[in-house]
Amino acid sequence: MKTTASPTPAPVSVWTRRAWLGGAATLLAAPWEASRAQSAAAAEEEAHAPGLPALGSRLVVPPVKLLDGSSFDPAQAEGKALLIYWWASFCPFCALQSPAMEALWRAQRDKGLVMLALSIDTRPQDATAYLHKKGYTFPAAWTSPAWRRAFPKPKGLPVTLVRGRDGRVALAEAGQMFDEDVAAISRLV
C-alpha cells in the first residue's frame, strides 16, 4: 500500500501510541522470557504460535476445567461477550494488566460479560498460588499442552481477545493494554 506524507503531522492517537508501546514491550519481553527457565517445548510452541485472529472471524473455544474445580462450558457464553485473557504468573506485563482485568470483571460480570483467563504457567499450582496471592476472582484455567493444541495461544503475552455476542472476534490485542483500554472493553459487553 502506498502512503503519502501530509504537510502537517497528524496527532498521535492513544491507540497508535499503545500499539507502538505494545510492540516495543513485546520486543523487550523477548529476552526476559528467553532467560526464564522455560522448557524447550514451550519455547518451540511460542516460536510457532499463530498470529492474532482476524477481527470479525468466528472464534470457537473448547470446554476447559477451571482452577477452582468448576468448568468453562462454551454454551454459557452463547449470545454474550466473552473476554479471553492469556497470562502467566511470571509475566511482568501481565502483572501490570491483570488488576485492570479484575476491575473489568467485577464491574461487568453482572452485565453479561463472560471471562476466561488462561494461564500458560508450567504448573497449575503456580497459577493458583498467584491468583490467591493477588486476590483475583476472574475465572481462570491452566492450559495444558493437550488443551493448547485444540486452542493455541496467539503469539505474545499477555493476549486479550473479545468475542462479541455474535460469536465473532471484536478485539484482538497482543502485549500489555493500558488500564483505560481494558476499561473500554465494557463498551463491547
Side-chain angles (χ1 to χ4, degrees):
M1 172 176 13
K2 185 177 177 181
T3 60
T4 59
S6 63
T8 57
V12 176
S13 73
V14 173
W15 287 101
T16 303
R17 183 174 48 247
R18 186 171 59 72
W20 182 87
L21 288 171
T26 301
L27 290 175
L28 291 173
W32 181 85
E33 285 186 44
S35 70
R36 294 233 7 109
Q38 190 180 56
S39 71
E44 179 74 12
E45 187 176 337
E46 182 65 18
H48 292 95
L52 292 168
L55 294 179
S57 63
R58 286 238 172 252
L59 187 65
V60 178
V61 182
V64 65
K65 184 175 179 179
L66 300 178
L67 290 167
D68 68 4
S70 64
S71 295
F72 169 79
D73 177 3
Q76 75 191 58
E78 290 295 321
K80 298 179 182 176
L82 172 62
L83 169 62
I84 302 168
Y85 172 54
W86 277 273
W87 63 281
S89 64
F90 57 81
C91 168
F93 305 107
C94 303
L96 294 170
Q97 183 172 323
S98 290
M101 293 301 227
E102 176 68 17
L104 178 68
W105 167 243
R106 288 180 183 220
Q108 297 298 319
R109 65 182 168 198
D110 293 334
K111 297 176 182 171
L113 178 68
V114 177
M115 182 172 179
L116 178 59
L118 300 168
S119 167
I120 65 159
D121 282 291
T122 305
R123 302 174 324 141
Q125 302 91 316
D126 297 335
T128 301
Y130 184 81
L131 292 171
H132 287 299
K133 177 182 173 186
K134 297 294 185 175
Y136 294 140
T137 62
F138 48 70
W142 176 72
T143 59
S144 69
W147 194 84
R148 287 193 307 268
R149 282 190 292 280
F151 193 70
K153 178 189 80 60
K155 191 175 288 278
L157 195 63
V159 174
T160 306
L161 303 178
V162 175
R163 185 183 76 183
R165 296 174 186 270
D166 62 356
R168 297 182 182 276
V169 176
L171 175 103
E173 295 286 336
Q176 180 191 344
M177 294 175 70
F178 293 131
D179 292 352
E180 61 269 19
D181 298 322
V182 172
I185 291 172
S186 64
R187 288 183 255 158
L188 301 172
V189 174

